[in-house]
Amino acid sequence: MEKRVWRLIPHHERRDLALEWIRSAKRIAIGWGKIGDLDLISPRSSQDISNAVDRHYPTLKNASNGGRSLWNLYHEMQKGDLVIVSGSKKSRELVVEIAGDYEYSDEALTVNGETLSAEYYFHRPVLISDLNPDTLWAEAGGIPAGQSVYQTLIPCAKPLSDEIPAVEDKPIAMIEHLMSVAKRTRNILLFGPPGTGKTYNVRKFADTFLGPQMQAPLSEPESRSRILERLTWWQAIALAMAVNGKDKWKVQEIEASDVMTDFIPLNNSAKVRNIIRRTLQNHTSLESENVNAKPIMGPFIFDQTPSAEWYFTEAGKQSVEKNLGKELELLRNPQHIQREIGDFMEFVTFHQSFAYEEFVEGLKPESDEEGQMRYEVKDGVFKRICRRAQADPDNKYLLIIDEINRANIAKVLGELITLIEDDKRLGEDNEITVTLPYSQQKFGVPPNLTILGTMNTADRSIALLDLALRRRFTFVEMMPEPLLLPTVEGVNLAALLNNLNKRITALLDPDHQIGHSYLMSAEDLEGLHFAWYHRVVPLLKEYFYNDGERLRAVLGNDFVKPQSVDAATRIALGDFYDGDTPRFEIADLKEEQFLGALRALSS
């Protein structure tokens, strides 16, 4: 098996002791002691271990995380693999090489006479796919070849120094989980409190999910379509004339050009020749002597010969070179165009007024070739990506719907809610198609389209979500991960976030917890002060709006102070002032006073 790199973050508050234990014992350990020897379970998959975790830890919210942790240690992490042991995902305190197989021990972890008493010693091992093990081992100053000690782990000769750059976990554990879920279903919904990394993980998932197919070269028609899909009619006509180098053109020759042959299907328009003629007239030079129609919009770059052949004016040539030079160069050299993730993905954010017409199809007012107003059927984001996926069955496509719970799902999806089910997709056993109301076209959802949605449970609980949506999506919960946070200026951010969320859960519910991303950027005093007063505190003020006493209970007396009203103000307000109702304000603490208040909250 190919050598791989893993990351392991100590789960215990005494991370220094955990790292010292690894150095001295030359082993790693996960914990979960109630389960016993995994050899006695004879697990065939991580689910077998998750079931054991669920039996022995019935109050644990997500047994699958524990199951995956133990499965990685027991089965996935092999001899020769490297493990980065660190206090956070941005650091490398220690790099070790696995030198033996799994061994069970019921002994407590003891370092210098002190015992690590936590049940879960380390955070789940995470596979890092984009780091070369040989390069990492060389940078770490690993033990020379031929020298070995048969233990579970061999520590490297020295800890990594600061000059070694940090590496991003890709794919991180959540991405691995989403990839496994995507093998079983095409409809996934990430849900959880704000700041738990839903959007971040969606982007990482898109890179991992679509990445393998990004390497295939584009054909010339695909390359031209990539360039033309966002152009207007006059721009496409100008490029069709310029790329060929021919001086004069009949309208029918422009229509038959390679550029227009690829552009016209992208616009789904009738009477194409009339549109081309009208467009040329609209952008004719103001000095033209052969065009009777009055030009109505710039740029004025075309002119016509007495024999009805179209050409560029000198100013027109300069305008095309200046404004369409990049597109012109790419059309002449399509081999320079690379695939982009946007070729296979659409991203849309739902909101309260989002409608079926924007998502599927609707009528849009357009001016025809005679200048008259008419209505055309315009495809929405969902119909567009479905058509692209259906025409390209060899590749995977992804539709990301951010804030899916903020829209009226029945209004947005309409009759299509059934079509997205895995077994109702095109080509599946229970395939269903419908006739769309505006275009009267037959429509179905292709099997190579995955729909990934996100929802913020602070906006709406999953219990209140549309039942039709709940039945058709596989839900993946994302909760705060305090252990991803470092200690800054003596403030244990993991403990701080954990304590805040315990209080929020007790006063509100788990859906309103604060995610770890609110504090991820805090690396020094200034960053911590900014994150606290501009991210965390405003969110909590919104949660406890007009309820200063409960806000004070969450943030503590140092940050929430009784509002003082001087005697003159009380006299001026007279009977309008209610002195019996307590009012509070946020104290803007500085430096040591600020850090001291945070340390108190984290203890």
Side-chain angles (χ1 to χ4, degrees):
M1 183 178 291
E2 185 178 351
K3 184 184 293 186
R4 296 182 292 180
V5 178
W6 302 80
R7 184 185 298 283
L8 189 65
I9 299 178
H11 204 302
H12 198 275
E13 290 183 4
R14 293 298 307 276
R15 290 173 174 171
D16 54 336
L17 288 178
L19 292 169
E20 180 59 32
W21 180 84
I22 292 175
R23 290 189 177 96
S24 59
K26 298 183 180 178
R27 296 176 181 272
I28 55 172
I30 301 295
W32 308 92
K34 295 180 183 178
I35 296 174
D37 192 348
L38 297 179
D39 281 334
L40 301 180
I41 300 176
S42 300
R44 292 170 295 177
S45 70
S46 62
Q47 187 59 49
D48 296 329
I49 303 181
S50 295
N51 294 337
V53 173
D54 196 38
R55 287 194 303 271
H56 289 90
Y57 299 88
T59 61
L60 190 67
K61 192 166 187 179
N62 194 343
S64 63
N65 284 343
R68 171 56 68 179
S69 298
L70 290 164
W71 176 256
N72 282 348
L73 180 73
Y74 180 81
H75 183 268
E76 297 293 334
M77 300 169 75
Q78 300 292 322
K79 184 177 179 179
D81 285 1
L82 301 184
V83 182
I84 300 173
V85 188
S86 58
S88 73
K89 68 178 184 179
K90 294 184 178 181
S91 61
R92 299 180 188 170
E93 278 85 352
L94 189 65
V95 176
V96 292
E97 180 183 25
I98 299 178
D101 296 326
Y102 159 83
E103 297 175 357
Y104 172 68
S105 173
D106 57 2
E107 297 178 0
L109 274 61
T110 303
V111 185
N112 299 328
E114 187 170 349
T115 300
L116 300 179
S117 57
E119 176 61 35
Y120 324 115
Y121 295 120
F122 294 91
H123 196 52
R124 185 191 339 178
V126 174
L127 180 64
I128 304 174
S129 64
D130 57 351
L131 188 62
N132 184 287
D134 295 331
T135 301
L136 172 66
W137 193 239
E139 292 174 336
I143 293 176
Q147 182 177 347
S148 62
V149 179
Y150 187 81
Q151 294 285 357
T152 306
L153 288 176
I154 302 174
C156 66
K158 59 180 179 180
L160 289 180
S161 58
D162 293 335
E163 65 266 21
I164 303 298
V167 63
E168 183 179 2
D169 294 338
K170 180 184 178 182
I172 60 174
M174 177 54 69
I175 306 307
E176 289 184 299
H177 181 54
L178 288 176
M179 290 292 291
S180 67
V181 172
K183 292 178 181 179
R184 297 178 175 272
T185 180
R186 303 176 186 95
N187 304 313
I188 306 170
L189 201 153
L190 292 181
F191 72 100
T196 52
K198 294 181 289 296
T199 304
Y200 172 85
N201 279 286
V202 161
R203 291 170 180 164
K204 294 297 182 185
F205 171 78
D207 291 339
T208 305
F209 185 69
L210 300 174
Q213 64 199 45
M214 302 291 292
Q215 308 306 316
L218 286 169
S219 66
E220 285 201 19
E222 285 178 319
S223 299
R224 284 196 295 270
S225 294
R226 276 275 306 281
I227 301 167
L228 300 172
E229 60 187 359
R230 293 180 177 85
L231 298 183
T232 63
W233 277 92
W234 80 262
Q235 291 172 326
I237 292 170
L239 288 171
M241 295 169 62
V243 74
N244 185 279
K246 183 179 175 181
D247 290 334
K248 298 175 182 178
W249 294 75
K250 294 284 188 180
V251 169
Q252 57 268 34
E253 292 176 331
I254 296 175
E255 180 185 12
S257 67
D258 288 342
V259 170
M260 295 307 293
T261 299
D262 291 325
F263 176 78
I264 290 167
L266 298 174
N267 290 270
N268 194 28
S269 299
K271 301 182 180 179
V272 170
R273 194 168 298 180
N274 288 342
I275 295 176
I276 294 174
R277 183 178 292 106
R278 183 67 179 176
T279 302
L280 289 165
Q281 293 171 347
N282 288 342
H283 295 274
T284 296
S285 169
L286 297 174
E287 288 80 31
S288 176
E289 297 178 356
N290 299 311
V291 178
N292 295 324
K294 182 179 180 181
I296 60 174
M297 63 187 74
F300 304 110
I301 59 176
F302 303 114
D303 203 351
Q304 190 181 46
T305 67
S307 57
E309 291 178 304
W310 290 91
Y311 63 93
F312 286 119
T313 65
E314 285 302 317
K317 291 179 182 179
Q318 295 175 13
S319 177
V320 170
E321 289 291 341
K322 178 181 178 181
N323 299 311
L324 296 172
K326 179 180 178 181
E327 291 81 359
L328 187 59
E329 177 62 26
L330 289 174
L331 285 172
R332 288 170 174 163
N333 301 281
Q335 68 274 15
H336 293 163
I337 301 176
Q338 302 296 321
R339 289 184 184 269
E340 297 177 357
I341 197 166
D343 297 338
F344 307 102
M345 183 182 77
E346 291 280 0
F347 185 100
V348 62
T349 300
F350 277 3
H351 49 80
Q352 288 87 343
S353 59
F354 202 83
Y356 178 93
E357 287 74 15
E358 296 172 88
F359 193 62
V360 185
E361 66 173 17
L363 295 176
K364 302 286 184 181
E366 296 285 346
S367 177
D368 64 16
E369 61 272 13
E370 303 299 331
Q372 300 297 314
M373 187 67 68
R374 62 189 177 86
Y375 288 87
E376 283 191 354
V377 176
K378 291 293 184 180
D379 294 342
V381 60
F382 183 61
K383 185 180 176 184
R384 289 199 304 269
I385 195 169
C386 282
R387 293 300 193 205
R388 284 158 54 193
Q390 189 175 357
D392 185 18
D394 295 332
N395 284 310
K396 296 184 288 188
Y397 283 75
L398 179 64
L399 173 62
I400 297 172
I401 306 175
D402 201 23
E403 306 285 1
I404 194 171
N405 56 316
R406 296 186 64 202
N408 184 327
I409 300 301
K411 179 181 176 183
V412 172
L413 287 176
E415 74 279 16
L416 304 186
I417 189 69
T418 301
L419 273 61
I420 68 173
E421 294 182 35
D422 292 325
D423 66 326
K424 307 297 192 304
R425 302 286 186 105
L426 295 175
E428 301 296 341
D429 294 339
N430 299 312
E431 172 187 315
I432 292 179
T433 61
V434 299
T435 300
L436 297 176
Y438 294 106
S439 64
Q440 294 299 300
Q441 296 174 342
K442 287 288 186 181
F443 179 78
V445 180
N448 57 329
L449 173 65
T450 295
I451 303 173
L452 180 60
T454 71
M455 67 169 286
N456 187 341
T457 54
D459 293 335
R460 179 187 297 181
S461 170
I462 189 174
L464 303 176
L465 199 60
D466 188 288
L467 286 174
L469 191 69
R470 291 174 65 187
R471 286 193 296 108
R472 290 171 171 88
F473 275 80
T474 296
F475 285 74
V476 177
E477 186 177 36
M478 292 195 64
M479 297 302 287
E481 294 281 356
L483 292 169
L484 296 177
L485 298 174
T487 296
V488 176
E489 300 289 341
V491 179
N492 186 334
L493 296 185
L496 172 65
L497 185 64
N498 190 49
N499 289 345
L500 285 177
N501 283 334
K502 284 180 180 179
R503 299 179 187 186
I504 293 170
T505 300
L507 292 176
L508 295 175
D509 52 58
D511 291 337
H512 286 78
Q513 293 182 73
I514 299 174
H516 49 274
S517 68
Y518 281 84
L519 295 169
M520 287 288 286
S521 61
E523 298 179 348
D524 52 28
L525 175 58
E526 183 179 354
L528 184 55
H529 191 276
F530 178 86
W532 183 256
Y533 279 108
H534 294 279
R535 293 176 178 166
V536 176
V537 170
L539 180 64
L540 291 175
K541 288 175 70 176
E542 180 182 342
Y543 284 173
F544 299 102
Y545 182 75
N546 239 4
D547 193 349
E549 291 182 337
R550 290 206 296 174
L551 180 62
R552 188 182 190 184
V554 173
L555 289 176
N557 296 332
D558 292 327
F559 286 109
V560 183
K561 302 284 189 181
Q563 192 176 51
S564 59
V565 180
D566 60 75
T569 302
R570 289 198 298 269
I571 293 172
L573 294 176
D575 293 338
F576 292 107
Y577 175 68
D578 181 9
D580 296 329
T581 302
R583 290 173 174 81
F584 299 90
E585 59 186 0
I586 300 296
D588 185 11
L589 306 181
K590 304 295 184 182
E591 297 183 354
E592 282 306 316
Q593 190 179 11
F594 169 68
L595 293 175
L598 288 184
R599 292 185 190 115
L601 272 177
S602 63
S603 60

